[in-house]
Amino acid sequence: MGYQETLNLPQTPFPMKGELNRREPEILAEWQEKGLYDRLMEQNRGRTSFILHDGPPYANGHIHIGHALNKILKDIIVKARSMAGFYAPYIPGWDCHGLPIEHQVMKELGKKREKLNQLQIRELCREYAEKYYKIQREEFKRLGVLGDWERPYLTMEAGYEAAIVREFSKIVAQGGVYKRKKPVLWCPQDETALAEAEVEYEEHTSPSIYVRFPITGIGGDPVKKLDLGGYILIWTTTPWTLPANQAIAVHPSEHYVLVEVTWKGKKETWILAEKLYKVCMEKFGLTENEYHLMGTPLTGKELQGKTFVYEHPFFKDTARRIITADFVTMDQGTGCVHIAPGHGQEDYELSLADPQLKVIAPVDDQGRFTDEVGVQGLAGQKVFKANDAILQLLMDRAVLIKAESLTHTYPHCWRCKSPVIFRATEQWFISMEAQELRQKSLAEIDRVNWVPRWGRERIYGMVENRPDWCISRQRSWGVPIVAFHCRSCRAILLNVSIINHVASLIEREGADLWFSRPAHELLPAGTQCPQCQGLDFEKEKDILDVWFESGVSHAAVLKRRSELSWPADLYLEGSDQHRGWFHSALLASVCTEGRAPYKTVLTHGFVVDGSGKKMSKSAGNVIAPQEVIDRYGAEILRLWVAAEDYREDVRISQEILLHLVEAYRKIRNTCRFLLGNLYDFDPARHWVEDSALWEIDRWALCRLANLTGRVLKAYEDFEFHI
């Protein structure tokens, strides 16, 4: 016998090389053939459930690396809970309505869109969403993610659309929905209102101007106008809003001074904040011997009490007032704020308590001044481009003190990347105060487990300070706001039983029927206007915000699918969803159910490159999931997700991937070595009782038990990188 024959060498068919990009499709095909997901569900049916509710990605393109991080994290959790004995079904979903899809369809149509009606556009949007949800489904499956891929939830499915309308009716029943002319974030490019979650804050350069408004009277007596001041100074970075000016606000408890200045060879008096006047004088190029204080400083409240009246520089013989507002700050400017209720939320709130402040917004859907602007030469101009013309008008009227540029963060549309405007239009809102929605939501935030904990502070601050929820959009691709308008008296018919009647029609035929049928075919027979008893109605043209659509998924999915339960054990999305899906789902659920739709919310960071920089095509640092899969295999992506602390931004680069490939080789070879050593182990013959174990074996088992406890706790706490 040769020496080699005396050795018991490891033996295993487990190959040394992974060849993942070739072998993984075979494994996935085997899972499909065996019905692995269904078998796992059957195995744990009847046991305690664990429901991770999938946040729906938009069906508008191939998946990116952020999608991969998100879906793999969910898969790790669902599989781990399933292996721990929980019944853990996973129902993937897609957000199929909304501006991203409609925008892309319109872009592809070009000039052809002018020949298409609303229904034809909706059909093209449906085809687009259908195409990409199926593409994304295959890409997610290729990542090794198990789920009920043949029965996902789609927001454009008729049953889901009907559920959206029914949730809307519940909020209407509570008196939480109203329509009013209010300033909202408006995208002139896409011609629609936007939700806060549809806005990105990017750097933008704006004009920064200081303007003097002439004081024309005090206490109604024009003779007294020079007693305390000739002008009041305002500062603004939105000159285009000046035509809509209705008042000037000062802080009630801050002090304001009267400064006598020598300006362009003439002596005059200016009113501005005591804390800011020296900074302003220096900015205006005035030396200390060119200005001095007069009289005693007055608080903003005292200033208001003097009943100052000023004249708008664009409109002669106007009489507008100085008022007080707590939101006026002393950070920069003059401490005197130009108020235009048609172009700002805080300004608008002032108008609610003061009927003399008119809500004027002389701007059309495309962001152009209308004839209502009342200033010659401005009508028809785009508001941002009109800034130069307004500056020239101010110079012509000798009221512009200084103009410069300011680079600051400014809201931009997340889809077209254009700067947005605040514009007062007729919109539908859900009140944050009706039924104490704000306070109830804040209380629910404190009941939820936030992972990581800072998620609580982030969403709490957003809900605490947010305005009423604007739920209307001026687009075609979505679910209608089920309301009618009386043609005779223009009264709004917003009736719960009618809304639910339409929901039943939508459940049978889909939301397209709203756009294809006249009002009388959608209304119950004999419907009358409650105001004038008229019988002739027209349909509301606006559709619901897609964040409302996805926000009610807790009702449309968790409550409609027999294998699921409400509330969900876990919602898991990126950190941007504190102002997105986590936020809208919370408000929608508290509105209708009185509590949050989730017990735990887990947040992951964004994917960045190896240097921590944001990924972008222009920077050339984008890594697509398909690239990694084709080169290394999906298992390397899964190892990347498991190894990183997802609570922060997650880095990926070719160098990081190569390290993971090497780590995978070590893991694979360790498994191969263990399997090879165990090839001839027979528990029936080779099992050793604890009492017979050597001390080193007991030590090894102790180490194993400690490791097992640590690993299982890490899975329980969602800390996979540990």
Side-chain angles (χ1 to χ4, degrees):
M1 180 185 290
Y3 181 62
Q4 186 174 341
E5 282 79 45
T6 69
L7 298 177
N8 185 8
L9 296 172
Q11 295 179 30
T12 176
F14 187 72
M16 183 180 291
K17 288 188 175 181
E19 297 183 286
L20 298 177
N21 47 10
R22 179 186 65 80
R23 194 172 279 136
E24 283 175 348
E26 297 171 1
I27 294 169
L28 292 171
E30 186 181 354
W31 289 1
Q32 181 77 21
E33 186 182 336
K34 289 180 176 178
L36 180 60
Y37 172 78
D38 292 333
R39 289 173 66 182
L40 281 170
M41 292 304 99
E42 197 55 45
Q43 173 181 286
N44 289 342
R45 196 176 300 279
R47 294 181 177 179
T48 303
S49 66
F50 177 85
I51 306 301
L52 186 158
H53 181 38
D54 190 35
Y58 275 114
N60 68 329
H62 292 271
I63 67 168
H64 54 67
I65 199 71
H67 286 126
L69 169 67
N70 180 269
K71 277 293 193 283
I72 291 169
L73 264 178
K74 290 174 179 174
D75 192 52
I76 291 172
I77 290 169
V78 170
K79 282 176 179 165
R81 287 296 193 269
S82 185
M83 291 168 73
F86 289 89
Y87 176 63
Y90 176 63
I91 311 300
W94 275 271
D95 211 338
C96 302
H97 288 139
L99 185 57
I101 290 166
E102 187 174 346
H103 177 86
Q104 191 58 38
V105 167
M106 300 300 264
K107 185 178 172 183
E108 290 177 4
L109 281 171
K111 291 185 178 179
K112 292 179 185 175
R113 64 187 179 185
E114 296 168 9
K115 299 178 181 178
L116 300 180
N117 61 34
Q118 215 170 11
L119 271 175
Q120 290 169 320
I121 290 170
R122 284 177 61 85
E123 181 56 34
L124 291 171
C125 289
R126 182 178 299 279
E127 290 171 5
Y128 186 94
E130 182 93 17
K131 171 187 172 182
Y132 276 105
Y133 110 72
K134 289 179 177 176
I135 286 173
Q136 289 187 5
R137 177 173 64 180
E138 295 311 306
E139 291 172 336
F140 287 139
K141 286 163 74 173
R142 180 63 185 86
L143 294 171
V145 178
L146 283 180
D148 195 346
W149 294 109
E150 300 311 311
R151 295 195 314 136
Y153 76 86
L154 307 173
T155 60
M156 64 181 180
E157 178 255 328
Y160 193 111
E161 290 177 330
I164 293 168
V165 176
R166 290 191 178 107
E167 290 303 294
F168 174 69
S169 79
K170 291 178 186 177
I171 304 171
V172 169
Q174 295 172 3
V177 177
Y178 67 93
K179 189 176 189 182
R180 188 178 297 162
K181 187 176 183 180
K182 287 177 66 173
V184 294
L185 289 162
W186 183 274
C187 178
Q189 186 76 19
D190 293 318
E191 298 180 43
T192 185
L194 298 175
E196 180 64 37
E198 295 169 322
V199 169
E200 297 172 341
Y201 287 82
E202 305 288 348
E203 280 204 345
H204 180 71
T205 300
S206 300
S208 169
I209 65 170
Y210 294 80
V211 184
R212 54 183 192 161
F213 282 50
I215 300 291
T216 56
I218 301 170
D221 184 353
V223 177
K224 290 184 178 179
K225 68 178 180 178
L226 295 177
D227 287 357
L228 282 173
Y231 295 90
I232 183 166
L233 270 57
I234 66 102
W235 170 73
T236 183
T237 57
T238 54
W240 65 268
T241 64
L242 285 174
N245 171 268
Q246 294 295 303
I248 292 173
V250 293
H251 193 283
S253 58
E254 294 287 351
H255 283 87
Y256 289 81
V257 293
L258 185 70
V259 186
E260 185 177 81
V261 302
T262 303
W263 181 251
K264 296 188 176 179
K266 292 182 180 180
K267 286 190 182 296
E268 57 190 53
T269 49
W270 296 347
I271 296 172
L272 68 167
E274 184 177 33
K275 289 179 179 176
L276 294 165
Y277 85 92
K278 285 187 177 180
V279 176
C280 287
M281 297 302 122
E282 186 179 338
K283 185 180 283 287
F284 304 155
L286 292 169
T287 61
E288 288 190 7
N289 61 359
E290 289 179 302
Y291 67 89
H292 68 273
L293 297 185
M294 295 178 65
T296 307
L298 299 175
T299 64
K301 191 172 183 181
E302 290 172 327
L303 208 58
Q304 183 187 31
K306 296 286 183 183
T307 324
F308 276 82
V309 176
Y310 70 89
E311 183 178 79
H312 193 297
F314 293 162
F315 308 114
K316 290 295 179 187
D317 302 321
T318 52
R320 295 187 179 162
R321 297 170 298 125
I322 294 173
I323 60 175
T324 57
D326 290 332
F327 61 75
V328 176
T329 67
M330 299 293 132
D331 298 336
Q332 53 189 331
T334 65
C336 307
V337 176
H338 132 68
I339 299 298
H343 294 299
Q345 179 61 32
E346 291 171 320
D347 300 23
Y348 171 78
E349 287 168 5
L350 287 177
S351 74
L352 296 178
D354 188 343
Q356 290 185 54
L357 302 181
K358 296 177 183 177
V359 182
I360 296 171
V363 180
D364 68 13
D365 290 357
Q366 295 177 345
R368 300 172 304 191
F369 279 120
T370 63
D371 291 337
E372 190 188 4
V373 70
V375 181
Q376 190 173 1
L378 290 185
Q381 288 198 48
K382 295 243 178 188
V383 293
F384 291 118
K385 290 184 178 178
N387 277 330
D388 290 341
I390 288 171
L391 262 63
Q392 186 60 52
L393 284 168
L394 294 171
M395 284 189 282
D396 292 345
R397 285 158 175 74
V399 292
L400 182 66
I401 296 174
K402 186 173 180 63
E404 55 190 2
S405 294
L406 176 72
T407 300
H408 58 143
T409 55
Y410 187 86
H412 287 66
C413 174
W414 73 322
R415 180 53 42 193
C416 68
K417 308 302 180 187
S418 301
V420 302
I421 60 175
F422 273 98
R423 172 181 178 238
T425 58
E426 289 277 345
Q427 300 289 341
W428 291 88
F429 297 89
I430 291 176
S431 169
M432 290 299 297
E433 309 311 327
Q435 306 297 317
E436 298 182 324
L437 175 57
R438 189 187 311 279
Q439 291 307 315
K440 288 177 182 176
S441 298
L442 293 174
E444 281 303 298
I445 288 170
D446 281 334
R447 291 182 65 230
V448 172
N449 175 34
W450 299 91
V451 183
R453 283 300 302 165
W454 56 256
R456 181 263 177 203
E457 278 67 43
R458 189 169 188 200
I459 194 169
Y460 195 97
M462 290 174 175
V463 171
E464 191 174 34
N465 297 303
R466 67 157 295 143
D468 289 350
W469 183 1
C470 177
I471 56 169
S472 48
R473 296 293 178 270
Q474 293 66 46
R475 305 301 301 185
S476 299
W477 181 228
V479 173
I481 292 177
V482 180
F484 298 85
H485 301 266
C486 175
R487 290 185 186 273
S488 299
C489 69
R490 303 312 301 165
I492 296 174
L493 183 63
L494 190 65
N495 179 286
V496 173
S497 62
I498 290 173
I499 296 171
N500 286 326
H501 170 77
V502 174
S504 298
L505 298 176
I506 288 174
E507 191 160 30
R508 290 198 298 270
E509 302 177 41
D512 280 355
L513 67 83
W514 182 265
F515 303 89
S516 62
R517 295 191 190 179
H520 70 269
E521 290 185 19
L522 299 169
L523 287 162
T527 300
Q528 290 186 336
C529 172
Q531 302 291 330
C532 70
Q533 283 69 56
L535 301 174
D536 194 11
F537 295 91
E538 61 184 38
K539 298 172 292 184
E540 170 63 46
K541 293 178 181 178
D542 288 353
I543 62 171
L544 282 162
D545 174 15
V546 289
W547 290 104
F548 183 84
E549 290 194 22
S550 60
V552 301
S553 64
H554 70 95
V557 181
L558 296 179
K559 291 194 169 189
R560 287 177 63 233
R561 299 282 290 248
S562 60
E563 69 270 43
L564 302 178
S565 58
W566 188 99
D569 292 283
L570 181 66
Y571 274 36
L572 186 166
E573 301 301 328
S575 56
D576 56 334
Q577 296 307 314
H578 288 104
R579 65 189 182 110
W581 190 53
F582 300 153
H583 196 124
S584 63
L586 174 72
L587 297 184
S589 183
V590 172
C591 271
T592 58
E593 304 295 335
R595 66 160 295 177
Y598 37 66
K599 298 174 186 176
T600 296
V601 172
L602 186 150
T603 307
H604 62 77
F606 294 104
V607 181
V608 294
D609 70 11
S611 303
K613 294 178 182 175
K614 183 180 177 181
M615 287 191 170
S616 68
K617 289 179 181 177
S618 59
N621 60 353
V622 172
I623 293 179
Q626 199 57 49
E627 283 178 47
V628 182
I629 292 168
D630 290 345
R631 190 170 179 183
Y632 304 116
E635 193 73 345
I636 301 304
L637 267 182
R638 297 179 66 88
L639 186 58
W640 164 68
V641 173
E644 296 289 329
D645 184 353
Y646 60 80
R647 293 169 295 191
E648 307 293 335
D649 284 348
V650 181
R651 298 188 181 206
I652 191 168
S653 66
Q654 290 302 330
E655 291 75 19
I656 290 170
L657 288 169
L658 287 172
H659 284 306
L660 290 166
V661 168
E662 187 56 35
Y664 176 78
R665 284 200 191 102
K666 291 176 180 176
I667 294 168
R668 186 176 187 90
N669 285 330
T670 302
C671 291
R672 188 168 183 271
F673 181 76
L674 294 170
L675 289 169
N677 271 297
L678 290 169
Y679 86 95
D680 58 352
F681 176 75
D682 179 359
R685 291 190 299 125
H686 300 136
W687 188 269
V688 179
E689 295 296 330
D690 288 355
S691 59
L693 287 173
W694 290 358
E695 188 172 9
I696 193 169
D697 291 329
R698 293 200 299 275
W699 171 82
L701 286 173
C702 178
R703 289 291 303 275
L704 175 61
N706 289 338
L707 176 67
T708 300
R710 186 165 172 250
V711 168
L712 291 178
K713 187 175 188 311
Y715 271 97
E716 186 73 27
D717 296 339
F718 311 116
E719 293 183 329
F720 312 117
H721 63 287
I722 289 177

